[in-house]
Amino acid sequence: MREQIPAAEPPVVRLRGLTRSFGPSPVLNGLDLDIRPGEFVALLGRSGSGKTTLLRALGDLDQDYSGELSAPTARAIAFQEARLLPWKRVWENVALGLKGAAPRHRAEAALREVGLAHRLDAWPATLSGGEGQRVALARALVREPDLLLLDEPFAALDALTRMRAHGLVEALWKEHRPAVLLVTHDVDEALLLADRALVLEAGRITLDLPIGLERPRRTDLQAFQELRWELLKALGVELAPASPARSEPGNVHLRLIDPDVATA
Amino acid sequence: MASQPVTPVGVEPLGSSWRIPPRAISPIVLLLLWELGSRTGVIPPRILAAPSAVLSTFLELLASGELLNNLMVSLGRALTGLAIGTAVGIALALVAGLSKRGEVAIDPPVQMLRTLPFLALVPLFIVWFGIGEVAKIALIALGVTFPVYLNLYSGIRGVDAKLVEAGRSFGLSQWGLIRHIILPGAMPGLLLGFRMALTISWLSLVIAEQINASAGLGYLINNARDFLQTDVIVVCLLVYAAIGLAADGVVRLLESRLLSWRPSFVKG
């Protein structure tokens, strides 16, 4: 699929030598990145690696960087916490700041798309975590962005709700085709959704991994597992080889206990 | 027989139409003791009038129109002071809350002034404004300004910066941020301040009407004091209490209207 995009098409996001410092040490350190139109990119990295800093620069929430940054003006963010205004009804939250004709109508259409047609007039305080994030997605999508920035939007959801949210994001992306930058801690999430996974380390991209798996993706395939290991290795997680000890918790337990026994 | 509930001797179960709420019993007993004390001469009327005398005085004052007329005068004072004080408090809090320069200019003097017990300014106000209506209304307005200012100001400053940032990212202008995010977010603070302001306006009304008055509840009380009419004094005290209660009801109504989005108000 990536080959179908003409090479001549200019990237929708272009970063060159992007640097951002808080105090003396740079959080982003001369970072280069291109994102093509309609491309789904996942950005992984340990806490403090600069993921959110990069997303904030791309979302125009932070202008104190140096280097070259070009991004489309039509961009929208879905935050980690849904950040809904509690004093506005669901549809009003989605319509917030919308310009152009019939904002209510467009807000309702977006909410229908995320499956919340029945909650248009609800107060945000009555929504579940998953519903809140769906409203946040609708609020981002109703702006018809060329670049959709997702800042760990599913981190606070329970596992089942998160799986449904993944399916929804993929469907919405296929429908609207914005370029997406998904900041996440979750390797499986990146592999399920993204065309490309980036690993950010010390302010630079240390791994740029194309994910050529067919959609819809499944986690139980060998190819998926191999990509998973590669990503985890880049993130500094040394996977223990599958050993018999893993299936016998008692062994592990004994090993952990041993030093104490020895000192006792 | 043994399985039947035992009724203590002397306590007959009351019919449901006669049941008195348990919490009402001791106040009623106190009232009866008070009445008994008055009737037997233990409590002389110049110390405290009997409840029955208070009630008949209340009805008399009501019938003659004296009570309502004076009540209206008092209410007018309190509401005028409340309106002025609330408007000043809101204006100051908006300037201080919405701009850094406004904060630097306004917050320090207001914080310094609020440490003064404003009732201590009565002598100065009399010197400045005389003993007419202006001094009374100014005192009420001053007392009201501080709670409105302090609570609205901290309400504005307490608005979640993440919501403001989100609003900005969705293209709200500066005015849009104030209108859609900062002011609604500060509304609980404003209402809290207003609730305190109502209490204070009523309290400072009582003080202000002691200054000198030719009309109003305070005038009734002062007159009654000169003639040892304790029944009139008690009636006025009860009216003060009733108005305070009504004011609280008004704020509750405002809160349920304006804060209907709050989880405590949201049903289902």
Side-chain angles (χ1 to χ4, degrees):
Chain A
M1 181 162 55
R2 295 171 62 237
E3 285 72 23
Q4 289 168 2
I5 298 166
E9 192 169 357
V12 68
V13 169
R14 190 184 137 89
L15 307 179
R16 290 293 178 272
L18 192 75
T19 300
R20 173 70 165 101
S21 304
F22 298 99
S25 56
V27 177
L28 299 177
N29 192 2
L31 184 143
D32 296 340
L33 172 65
D34 286 343
I35 299 178
R36 282 182 294 278
E39 189 182 23
F40 200 131
V41 176
L43 180 63
L44 293 137
R46 281 183 280 192
S47 298
S49 59
K51 302 189 298 288
T52 299
T53 307
L54 175 56
L55 180 129
R56 291 173 57 84
L58 279 172
D60 201 23
L61 296 176
D62 175 16
Q63 289 88 19
D64 294 336
Y65 52 79
S66 59
E68 184 189 327
L69 181 154
S70 78
T73 44
R75 57 194 141 173
I77 308 174
F79 295 96
Q80 183 171 0
E81 326 84 10
R83 298 202 192 178
L84 304 178
L85 303 180
W87 45 83
K88 289 198 181 285
R89 294 181 188 277
V90 162
W91 78 264
E92 292 174 312
N93 263 288
V94 174
L96 186 75
L98 265 191
K99 293 170 185 75
R104 167 150 206 176
H105 182 78
R106 283 149 65 203
E108 287 181 4
L111 282 162
R112 223 170 286 128
E113 249 191 296
V114 298
L116 287 175
H118 58 297
R119 301 292 260 151
L120 298 178
D121 287 318
W123 294 116
T126 65
L127 300 178
S128 68
E131 285 174 330
Q133 283 302 353
R134 273 144 74 194
V135 176
L137 274 177
R139 183 169 63 176
L141 280 172
V142 77
R143 280 144 236 279
E144 297 172 356
D146 295 325
L147 175 62
L148 177 62
L149 300 162
L150 305 175
D151 186 8
E152 300 191 49
F154 317 121
L157 303 182
D158 66 84
L160 289 175
T161 311
R162 195 183 314 158
M163 283 163 74
R164 277 200 293 272
H166 288 161
L168 177 67
V169 164
E170 190 171 26
L172 293 169
W173 170 69
K174 280 182 176 158
E175 175 71 26
H176 299 274
R177 281 287 160 179
V180 179
L181 183 76
L182 168 68
V183 167
T184 181
H185 272 111
D186 184 341
V187 169
D188 288 350
E189 185 169 284
L191 290 172
L192 278 170
L193 294 173
D195 296 323
R196 193 148 65 101
L198 308 174
V199 172
L200 195 60
E201 171 96 49
R204 283 169 188 276
I205 289 168
T206 53
L207 178 69
D208 187 340
L209 182 71
I211 305 165
L213 303 172
E214 283 201 19
R215 296 170 190 270
R217 292 174 180 163
R218 286 171 43 186
T219 55
D220 55 357
L221 298 177
Q222 182 62 29
F224 189 99
Q225 292 301 326
E226 281 166 8
L227 287 168
R228 187 167 188 270
W229 286 35
E230 197 170 340
L231 271 181
L232 285 171
K233 207 169 78 187
L235 288 164
V237 181
E238 292 299 329
L239 273 193
S243 66
R246 296 183 93 200
S247 55
E248 293 171 44
N251 282 355
V252 176
H253 185 65
L254 264 184
R255 265 215 311 244
L256 287 173
I257 283 295
D258 256 347
D260 285 64
V261 174
T263 51
Chain B
M1 276 302 281
S3 65
Q4 280 195 347
V6 178
T7 306
V9 179
V11 179
E12 295 293 319
L14 295 165
S16 57
S17 58
W18 279 97
R19 185 154 295 162
I20 298 169
R23 291 182 57 84
I25 292 174
S26 60
I28 289 173
V29 167
L30 279 174
L31 268 179
L32 291 175
L33 283 176
W34 175 7
E35 181 73 35
L36 190 71
S38 297
R39 296 271 168 115
T40 54
V42 177
I43 308 172
R46 63 184 176 83
I47 299 296
L48 194 59
S52 55
V54 169
L55 183 66
S56 66
T57 305
F58 172 71
L59 294 174
E60 265 171 46
L61 287 171
L62 206 58
S64 69
E66 208 175 341
L67 185 61
L68 277 183
N69 286 340
N70 287 297
L71 175 62
M72 283 304 146
V73 171
S74 290
L75 273 181
R77 281 178 193 138
L79 290 179
T80 310
L82 185 68
I84 295 172
T86 305
V88 173
I90 288 178
L92 290 176
L94 287 181
V95 176
L98 295 178
S99 83
K100 196 73 204 166
R101 263 182 288 175
E103 181 194 339
V104 170
I106 287 177
D107 199 49
V110 176
Q111 297 287 354
M112 285 156 77
L113 280 177
R114 88 184 171 100
T115 58
L116 278 174
F118 72 98
L119 295 176
L121 291 175
V122 169
L124 205 53
F125 272 38
I126 292 177
V127 171
W128 290 347
F129 305 118
I131 51 173
E133 289 302 293
V134 180
K136 298 182 183 58
I137 289 172
L139 188 73
I140 296 169
L142 181 76
V144 162
T145 301
F146 294 110
V148 170
Y149 170 84
L150 292 172
N151 287 289
L152 178 56
Y153 174 70
S154 74
I156 290 174
R157 286 300 156 104
V159 169
D160 189 352
K162 288 180 167 183
L163 292 181
V164 176
E165 185 182 79
R168 194 170 283 135
S169 90
F170 293 120
L172 287 184
S173 61
Q174 195 62 28
W175 167 240
L177 290 175
I178 291 172
R179 201 182 118 205
H180 293 294
I181 298 180
I182 294 173
L183 292 186
M187 188 55 83
L190 175 61
L191 285 173
L192 178 64
F194 189 66
R195 175 175 234 155
M196 295 164 76
L198 271 178
T199 311
I200 287 183
S201 71
W202 208 232
L203 190 72
S204 39
L205 174 78
V206 176
I207 305 293
E209 291 193 330
Q210 310 280 323
I211 296 176
N212 173 46
S214 51
L217 288 175
Y219 163 75
L220 274 187
I221 290 185
N222 280 347
N223 251 4
R225 181 197 60 205
D226 294 344
F227 298 103
L228 300 181
Q229 292 170 317
T230 52
D231 50 346
V232 176
I233 295 179
V234 173
V235 167
C236 290
L237 293 183
L238 290 176
V239 172
Y240 274 139
I243 301 286
L245 210 62
D248 215 47
V250 168
V251 175
R252 272 172 213 280
L253 190 74
L254 276 177
E255 280 185 346
S256 66
R257 280 286 174 85
L258 293 171
L259 302 183
S260 52
W261 49 269
R262 279 194 148 184
S264 53
F265 288 111
V266 172
K267 300 278 185 288

PDB file of all heavy atoms in Angstrom, chain B residues 47-69:
ATOM      1  N   ILE B  47     -38.188  41.718  79.796  1.00  0.00           N
ATOM      2  CA  ILE B  47     -36.995  40.923  79.478  1.00  0.00           C
ATOM      3  C   ILE B  47     -37.233  40.179  78.166  1.00  0.00           C
ATOM      4  O   ILE B  47     -36.445  40.253  77.234  1.00  0.00           O
ATOM      5  CB  ILE B  47     -36.677  39.909  80.604  1.00  0.00           C
ATOM      6  CG1 ILE B  47     -36.396  40.643  81.918  1.00  0.00           C
ATOM      7  CG2 ILE B  47     -35.508  39.013  80.214  1.00  0.00           C
ATOM      8  CD1 ILE B  47     -35.165  41.523  81.884  1.00  0.00           C
ATOM      9  N   LEU B  48     -38.337  39.449  78.101  1.00  0.00           N
ATOM     10  CA  LEU B  48     -38.669  38.699  76.893  1.00  0.00           C
ATOM     11  C   LEU B  48     -40.170  38.474  76.852  1.00  0.00           C
ATOM     12  O   LEU B  48     -40.754  37.979  77.818  1.00  0.00           O
ATOM     13  CB  LEU B  48     -37.927  37.345  76.898  1.00  0.00           C
ATOM     14  CG  LEU B  48     -37.891  36.569  75.581  1.00  0.00           C
ATOM     15  CD1 LEU B  48     -37.216  37.401  74.491  1.00  0.00           C
ATOM     16  CD2 LEU B  48     -37.125  35.263  75.773  1.00  0.00           C
ATOM     17  N   ALA B  49     -40.783  38.830  75.724  1.00  0.00           N
ATOM     18  CA  ALA B  49     -42.225  38.661  75.604  1.00  0.00           C
ATOM     19  C   ALA B  49     -42.567  37.189  75.400  1.00  0.00           C
ATOM     20  O   ALA B  49     -41.746  36.413  74.910  1.00  0.00           O
ATOM     21  CB  ALA B  49     -42.734  39.476  74.417  1.00  0.00           C
ATOM     22  N   ALA B  50     -43.786  36.827  75.777  1.00  0.00           N
ATOM     23  CA  ALA B  50     -44.224  35.441  75.614  1.00  0.00           C
ATOM     24  C   ALA B  50     -44.405  35.122  74.129  1.00  0.00           C
ATOM     25  O   ALA B  50     -44.694  36.021  73.326  1.00  0.00           O
ATOM     26  CB  ALA B  50     -45.539  35.239  76.354  1.00  0.00           C
ATOM     27  N   PRO B  51     -44.241  33.844  73.757  1.00  0.00           N
ATOM     28  CA  PRO B  51     -44.448  33.472  72.349  1.00  0.00           C
ATOM     29  C   PRO B  51     -45.812  33.902  71.832  1.00  0.00           C
ATOM     30  O   PRO B  51     -45.923  34.375  70.696  1.00  0.00           O
ATOM     31  CB  PRO B  51     -44.319  31.950  72.363  1.00  0.00           C
ATOM     32  CG  PRO B  51     -43.510  31.640  73.564  1.00  0.00           C
ATOM     33  CD  PRO B  51     -43.796  32.716  74.565  1.00  0.00           C
ATOM     34  N   SER B  52     -46.827  33.763  72.657  1.00  0.00           N
ATOM     35  CA  SER B  52     -48.173  34.146  72.204  1.00  0.00           C
ATOM     36  C   SER B  52     -48.234  35.648  71.948  1.00  0.00           C
ATOM     37  O   SER B  52     -48.833  36.102  70.969  1.00  0.00           O
ATOM     38  CB  SER B  52     -49.209  33.748  73.266  1.00  0.00           C
ATOM     39  OG  SER B  52     -48.846  34.328  74.506  1.00  0.00           O
ATOM     40  N   ALA B  53     -47.532  36.443  72.794  1.00  0.00           N
ATOM     41  CA  ALA B  53     -47.501  37.889  72.596  1.00  0.00           C
ATOM     42  C   ALA B  53     -46.749  38.230  71.313  1.00  0.00           C
ATOM     43  O   ALA B  53     -47.140  39.132  70.562  1.00  0.00           O
ATOM     44  CB  ALA B  53     -46.817  38.569  73.778  1.00  0.00           C
ATOM     45  N   VAL B  54     -45.664  37.491  71.067  1.00  0.00           N
ATOM     46  CA  VAL B  54     -44.891  37.725  69.848  1.00  0.00           C
ATOM     47  C   VAL B  54     -45.770  37.479  68.624  1.00  0.00           C
ATOM     48  O   VAL B  54     -45.787  38.269  67.672  1.00  0.00           O
ATOM     49  CB  VAL B  54     -43.650  36.806  69.817  1.00  0.00           C
ATOM     50  CG1 VAL B  54     -42.982  36.852  68.434  1.00  0.00           C
ATOM     51  CG2 VAL B  54     -42.658  37.213  70.890  1.00  0.00           C
ATOM     52  N   LEU B  55     -46.535  36.384  68.697  1.00  0.00           N
ATOM     53  CA  LEU B  55     -47.382  36.041  67.562  1.00  0.00           C
ATOM     54  C   LEU B  55     -48.436  37.111  67.316  1.00  0.00           C
ATOM     55  O   LEU B  55     -48.655  37.552  66.170  1.00  0.00           O
ATOM     56  CB  LEU B  55     -48.047  34.679  67.802  1.00  0.00           C
ATOM     57  CG  LEU B  55     -48.913  34.159  66.652  1.00  0.00           C
ATOM     58  CD1 LEU B  55     -48.044  33.851  65.438  1.00  0.00           C
ATOM     59  CD2 LEU B  55     -49.711  32.929  67.057  1.00  0.00           C
ATOM     60  N   SER B  56     -49.079  37.571  68.388  1.00  0.00           N
ATOM     61  CA  SER B  56     -50.145  38.571  68.182  1.00  0.00           C
ATOM     62  C   SER B  56     -49.539  39.890  67.713  1.00  0.00           C
ATOM     63  O   SER B  56     -50.138  40.586  66.883  1.00  0.00           O
ATOM     64  CB  SER B  56     -50.980  38.748  69.449  1.00  0.00           C
ATOM     65  OG  SER B  56     -50.194  39.308  70.480  1.00  0.00           O
ATOM     66  N   THR B  57     -48.348  40.252  68.232  1.00  0.00           N
ATOM     67  CA  THR B  57     -47.684  41.468  67.761  1.00  0.00           C
ATOM     68  C   THR B  57     -47.358  41.345  66.278  1.00  0.00           C
ATOM     69  O   THR B  57     -47.514  42.300  65.508  1.00  0.00           O
ATOM     70  CB  THR B  57     -46.390  41.703  68.555  1.00  0.00           C
ATOM     71  OG1 THR B  57     -46.708  41.737  69.934  1.00  0.00           O
ATOM     72  CG2 THR B  57     -45.719  42.998  68.143  1.00  0.00           C
ATOM     73  N   PHE B  58     -46.877  40.157  65.893  1.00  0.00           N
ATOM     74  CA  PHE B  58     -46.560  39.909  64.480  1.00  0.00           C
ATOM     75  C   PHE B  58     -47.784  40.162  63.615  1.00  0.00           C
ATOM     76  O   PHE B  58     -47.722  40.867  62.602  1.00  0.00           O
ATOM     77  CB  PHE B  58     -46.058  38.465  64.328  1.00  0.00           C
ATOM     78  CG  PHE B  58     -45.883  38.030  62.895  1.00  0.00           C
ATOM     79  CD1 PHE B  58     -44.852  38.556  62.126  1.00  0.00           C
ATOM     80  CD2 PHE B  58     -46.741  37.096  62.323  1.00  0.00           C
ATOM     81  CE1 PHE B  58     -44.690  38.156  60.807  1.00  0.00           C
ATOM     82  CE2 PHE B  58     -46.586  36.695  61.011  1.00  0.00           C
ATOM     83  CZ  PHE B  58     -45.553  37.226  60.252  1.00  0.00           C
ATOM     84  N   LEU B  59     -48.920  39.612  64.047  1.00  0.00           N
ATOM     85  CA  LEU B  59     -50.145  39.774  63.257  1.00  0.00           C
ATOM     86  C   LEU B  59     -50.572  41.232  63.208  1.00  0.00           C
ATOM     87  O   LEU B  59     -50.989  41.736  62.159  1.00  0.00           O
ATOM     88  CB  LEU B  59     -51.256  38.893  63.836  1.00  0.00           C
ATOM     89  CG  LEU B  59     -50.987  37.381  63.704  1.00  0.00           C
ATOM     90  CD1 LEU B  59     -52.064  36.571  64.420  1.00  0.00           C
ATOM     91  CD2 LEU B  59     -50.901  36.975  62.237  1.00  0.00           C
ATOM     92  N   GLU B  60     -50.428  41.932  64.343  1.00  0.00           N
ATOM     93  CA  GLU B  60     -50.772  43.353  64.385  1.00  0.00           C
ATOM     94  C   GLU B  60     -49.909  44.150  63.416  1.00  0.00           C
ATOM     95  O   GLU B  60     -50.410  44.958  62.630  1.00  0.00           O
ATOM     96  CB  GLU B  60     -50.524  43.916  65.795  1.00  0.00           C
ATOM     97  CG  GLU B  60     -51.729  43.934  66.707  1.00  0.00           C
ATOM     98  CD  GLU B  60     -51.288  44.292  68.121  1.00  0.00           C
ATOM     99  OE1 GLU B  60     -50.507  45.258  68.271  1.00  0.00           O
ATOM    100  OE2 GLU B  60     -51.705  43.575  69.054  1.00  0.00           O
ATOM    101  N   LEU B  61     -48.599  43.940  63.514  1.00  0.00           N
ATOM    102  CA  LEU B  61     -47.669  44.678  62.663  1.00  0.00           C
ATOM    103  C   LEU B  61     -47.931  44.392  61.188  1.00  0.00           C
ATOM    104  O   LEU B  61     -47.782  45.255  60.331  1.00  0.00           O
ATOM    105  CB  LEU B  61     -46.210  44.306  62.996  1.00  0.00           C
ATOM    106  CG  LEU B  61     -45.654  44.850  64.315  1.00  0.00           C
ATOM    107  CD1 LEU B  61     -44.299  44.227  64.619  1.00  0.00           C
ATOM    108  CD2 LEU B  61     -45.535  46.365  64.250  1.00  0.00           C
ATOM    109  N   LEU B  62     -48.306  43.140  60.937  1.00  0.00           N
ATOM    110  CA  LEU B  62     -48.603  42.742  59.565  1.00  0.00           C
ATOM    111  C   LEU B  62     -49.859  43.459  59.075  1.00  0.00           C
ATOM    112  O   LEU B  62     -49.908  43.998  57.966  1.00  0.00           O
ATOM    113  CB  LEU B  62     -48.805  41.225  59.512  1.00  0.00           C
ATOM    114  CG  LEU B  62     -48.526  40.502  58.193  1.00  0.00           C
ATOM    115  CD1 LEU B  62     -47.083  40.756  57.777  1.00  0.00           C
ATOM    116  CD2 LEU B  62     -48.789  39.016  58.359  1.00  0.00           C
ATOM    117  N   ALA B  63     -50.883  43.462  59.954  1.00  0.00           N
ATOM    118  CA  ALA B  63     -52.167  44.053  59.580  1.00  0.00           C
ATOM    119  C   ALA B  63     -52.029  45.556  59.345  1.00  0.00           C
ATOM    120  O   ALA B  63     -52.605  46.112  58.408  1.00  0.00           O
ATOM    121  CB  ALA B  63     -53.206  43.769  60.666  1.00  0.00           C
ATOM    122  N   SER B  64     -51.230  46.231  60.183  1.00  0.00           N
ATOM    123  CA  SER B  64     -51.108  47.690  60.057  1.00  0.00           C
ATOM    124  C   SER B  64     -50.228  48.073  58.867  1.00  0.00           C
ATOM    125  O   SER B  64     -50.180  49.239  58.496  1.00  0.00           O
ATOM    126  CB  SER B  64     -50.495  48.261  61.336  1.00  0.00           C
ATOM    127  OG  SER B  64     -49.145  47.861  61.420  1.00  0.00           O
ATOM    128  N   GLY B  65     -49.518  47.096  58.306  1.00  0.00           N
ATOM    129  CA  GLY B  65     -48.652  47.399  57.170  1.00  0.00           C
ATOM    130  C   GLY B  65     -47.278  47.888  57.609  1.00  0.00           C
ATOM    131  O   GLY B  65     -46.372  48.044  56.794  1.00  0.00           O
ATOM    132  N   GLU B  66     -47.123  48.109  58.900  1.00  0.00           N
ATOM    133  CA  GLU B  66     -45.868  48.630  59.443  1.00  0.00           C
ATOM    134  C   GLU B  66     -44.701  47.684  59.136  1.00  0.00           C
ATOM    135  O   GLU B  66     -43.616  48.112  58.709  1.00  0.00           O
ATOM    136  CB  GLU B  66     -46.027  48.781  60.952  1.00  0.00           C
ATOM    137  CG  GLU B  66     -45.154  49.872  61.540  1.00  0.00           C
ATOM    138  CD  GLU B  66     -45.440  50.050  63.030  1.00  0.00           C
ATOM    139  OE1 GLU B  66     -46.522  49.609  63.500  1.00  0.00           O
ATOM    140  OE2 GLU B  66     -44.578  50.600  63.714  1.00  0.00           O
ATOM    141  N   LEU B  67     -44.952  46.380  59.348  1.00  0.00           N
ATOM    142  CA  LEU B  67     -43.873  45.401  59.163  1.00  0.00           C
ATOM    143  C   LEU B  67     -43.441  45.339  57.705  1.00  0.00           C
ATOM    144  O   LEU B  67     -42.245  45.409  57.386  1.00  0.00           O
ATOM    145  CB  LEU B  67     -44.356  44.025  59.630  1.00  0.00           C
ATOM    146  CG  LEU B  67     -43.293  42.921  59.622  1.00  0.00           C
ATOM    147  CD1 LEU B  67     -42.154  43.264  60.551  1.00  0.00           C
ATOM    148  CD2 LEU B  67     -43.904  41.585  60.019  1.00  0.00           C
ATOM    149  N   LEU B  68     -44.426  45.235  56.807  1.00  0.00           N
ATOM    150  CA  LEU B  68     -44.077  45.090  55.393  1.00  0.00           C
ATOM    151  C   LEU B  68     -43.360  46.327  54.860  1.00  0.00           C
ATOM    152  O   LEU B  68     -42.363  46.220  54.149  1.00  0.00           O
ATOM    153  CB  LEU B  68     -45.330  44.804  54.560  1.00  0.00           C
ATOM    154  CG  LEU B  68     -45.758  43.333  54.537  1.00  0.00           C
ATOM    155  CD1 LEU B  68     -46.963  43.142  53.633  1.00  0.00           C
ATOM    156  CD2 LEU B  68     -44.612  42.451  54.077  1.00  0.00           C
ATOM    157  N   ASN B  69     -43.864  47.506  55.257  1.00  0.00           N
ATOM    158  CA  ASN B  69     -43.226  48.736  54.783  1.00  0.00           C
ATOM    159  C   ASN B  69     -41.759  48.796  55.184  1.00  0.00           C
ATOM    160  O   ASN B  69     -40.881  49.091  54.368  1.00  0.00           O
ATOM    161  CB  ASN B  69     -43.952  49.960  55.346  1.00  0.00           C
ATOM    162  CG  ASN B  69     -45.287  50.176  54.662  1.00  0.00           C
ATOM    163  OD1 ASN B  69     -45.495  49.659  53.558  1.00  0.00           O
ATOM    164  ND2 ASN B  69     -46.190  50.899  55.313  1.00  0.00           N
TER     165      ASN B  69
END
